[in-house]
Amino acid sequence: MPLDTAQTGPRPGRPTSHEARQRLEHARNSRLAQLRALDEGVQSTDAHLVSAQTEAIQRVLTEIDEAFARVDDGVYGTCQGCAKPVPAERLEILPYTRYCVACQGRATA
């Protein structure tokens, strides 16, 4: 089921693939800027904290790459838990999310 096509156009309330890519690019660029800032501000006393922050940012970058693949596969915005559409508001806040709120709660429980 494609995100949008020339024949059908975007589905109401769902981002187009172009909008999804823009949001994901913004999220990726923000995380890369955070990594650069961490690299520039490292002090030996903060090494453990910086390492943890770097790992967390790397995990999000991986999730962003996976979200780009979902856009390419035409399944972006579909919950991987229940197969229902992820609300547009959630995708706006977390453009790389794989789950709706209910399924995210079950996935992390």
Side-chain angles (χ1 to χ4, degrees):
M1 183 182 316
L3 184 64
D4 68 346
T5 65
Q7 294 83 16
T8 61
R11 286 181 250 161
R14 307 255 333 248
T16 64
S17 59
H18 176 73
E19 291 169 333
R21 287 183 181 286
Q22 284 183 316
R23 289 179 186 163
L24 291 167
E25 284 292 342
H26 177 73
R28 177 190 283 158
N29 291 337
S30 295
R31 295 323 180 282
L32 291 172
Q34 289 173 335
L35 282 177
R36 282 191 298 275
L38 284 172
D39 287 343
E40 293 168 2
V42 173
Q43 296 176 358
S44 61
T45 57
D46 300 329
H48 179 70
L49 177 61
V50 169
S51 176
Q53 289 174 324
T54 299
E55 287 177 26
I57 293 168
Q58 291 290 356
R59 280 193 303 273
V60 171
L61 287 169
T62 298
E63 291 179 36
I64 291 169
D65 288 340
E66 291 169 355
F68 273 113
R70 290 193 299 278
V71 171
D72 292 341
D73 293 342
V75 295
Y76 177 83
T78 300
C79 178
Q80 291 183 340
C82 66
K84 293 180 182 175
V86 175
E89 299 82 16
R90 181 163 171 80
L91 291 172
E92 192 170 319
I93 295 167
L94 287 172
Y96 48 86
T97 190
R98 295 178 285 160
Y99 301 107
C100 66
V101 172
C103 290
Q104 180 70 52
R106 286 191 290 272
T108 57

